[in-house]
Amino acid sequence: MIDVRENISLKDFTTFHIGGPARFFVEVGTVDQLIEALEYANNRELPIFVMGGGSNLLVSDEGFDGLVIHPKFLGFKIVELENSKARVHVASGENWDFVVRRCVEAGLWGIENLSFVPGDAGGFVMQNVGAYGQQASDVTTSVDVYDIELKAKSYKLKAELGFGYRKSIFNTTHKGRYVILSVDILLSRGKVAYIEYPDVKRYMEEEGIAQPTLAQMREAITAIRTSKGFDPDQRWSAGSFFKNPILTPDQYSRVREKIAIKFGPAKTEQLDELKNKFTRNPQEIKIPAGFLMDTLLHMKGMRVGDAEISDKQVISIYNRGKATAKDVIALYSQVRKLVLDATGITLTHEPEFVGIEEE
Ligand SMILES: Cc1cc2nc3c(=O)[nH]c(=O)nc-3n(C[C@H](O)[C@H](O)[C@H](O)COP(=O)(O)OP(=O)(O)OC[C@H]3O[C@@H](n4cnc5c(N)ncnc54)[C@H](O)[C@@H]3O)c2cc1C
């Protein structure tokens, strides 16, 4: 049996605390309930939206005119393997940070740098979540799914998941086709902490820790993220709002020229340094959006209504309390225009827009 509720505000199901009502809303904890929910939508010709932890979404003020399915699949199991490895089976509705905590407590390395990332295990694999040198694709071995098209349970091995930067088949080629039921990840015992990121290095130096334990690593990441305003209980946001732009060499030359004219040679030197630091593939030049928004344009604190560019992390927009999706979109548009005029770069957004028309 499922309990479909009507006119449910989505605001507090998102970390942004923004969004109007879902016309229909249902939580599903079993595959049978999921099937029932899908039939419910199908019989009434309703669009569906699967909403996990709501941490990568901007929901429109008008809400969602269809059925929101909120997976509450729960389950967590560690299976010890040979060679100090363990396979961890996690149901998709488990809170991600809770998963990390339990793995750290069990002495398993591989996801400790992903501590304190909001959302559920389903979203973790869907978005190929990454932070401080670790990402979902490093540890995911397979995913159990419900195939909406074939109306059947199935599973996908890592090679079939099409992982890329913040993407998988679930948010690209096969978007809307599958509901993620669970994910299997492979972790190890007795590894050494990865502390190469500058923030992590600095933290360890300040704390006088040379070789952090798993627990110390988790503590460090949690502290660093909190200091950047990424504690969803303290600051309402969807994390990073602006993606780091990726440019072709031609585009880069044009941008560089524009920045030289407008901001002078010191800034172009800085731009070149960042390019060298962040670019892995010379055909895809990665520029930190933070450089454009902060170093060049000083956008921290820019505000529309209650939507504000974070003073702690310029690429994040946060809700001061009463922000609407309209405020966020207006701020996003202002930032885009200023960055485009100054540099020729069009910034794009990281969170998924629900019920909002793209420009
Ligand atoms: C403060 C903050 C910090 C963040 N930091 C990071 C970071 O460091 N690195 C990073 O990569 N991300 C970060 N994020 C973004 C976000 O936490 C991740 O993208 C997260 O994995 C989203 O999971 P979710 O369960 O909240 O998904 P949702 O936001 O609910 O949904 C995101 C997408 O996944 C789909 N989806 C969710 N669950 C399922 C399922 N079971 N089956 C099918 N589709 C599903 C939804 O339909 C939607 O398309 C941050 C967000 C916040 C608020």
Side-chain angles (χ1 to χ4, degrees), residues 268-285:
T268 33
E269 254 174 54
Q270 248 178 301
L271 180 73
D272 288 339
E273 271 171 34
L274 289 167
K275 169 194 156 203
N276 296 336
K277 190 166 162 196
F278 289 106
T279 302
R280 300 280 167 268
N281 171 355
Q283 297 310 311
E284 295 180 356
I285 298 170

Side-chain angles (χ1 to χ4, degrees), residues 240-271:
S240 303
F241 196 92
F242 296 91
K243 280 189 183 166
N244 292 321
I246 295 184
L247 308 177
T248 63
D250 270 359
Q251 286 169 330
Y252 182 79
S253 304
R254 285 197 293 275
V255 165
R256 194 178 182 283
E257 210 172 300
K258 209 160 176 178
I259 289 177
I261 295 166
K262 232 178 157 110
F263 300 96
K267 294 290 187 266
T268 33
E269 254 174 54
Q270 248 178 301
L271 180 73

Side-chain angles (χ1 to χ4, degrees), residues 171-187:
N171 61 6
T172 55
T173 49
H174 293 67
K175 188 163 171 47
R177 173 153 175 188
Y178 300 108
V179 176
I180 299 165
L181 303 174
S182 63
V183 50
D184 276 29
I185 57 181
L186 187 67
L187 303 179

Side-chain angles (χ1 to χ4, degrees), residues 50 52-56 118 120 123 126-127 129-130 166 180 225 239 352:
V50 178
S55 63
N56 205 33
D120 295 342
M126 143 93 63
Q127 307 281 139
V129 161
R166 298 293 168 273
I180 299 165
R225 295 183 70 92
E352 184 172 335

Side-chain angles (χ1 to χ4, degrees), residues 109 191-193 195 204 208-214 216-217:
W109 293 82
K191 280 255 175 136
V192 177
I195 55 169
M204 295 303 173
I209 301 170
Q211 282 192 328
T213 62
L214 254 179
Q216 283 171 328
M217 203 59 207

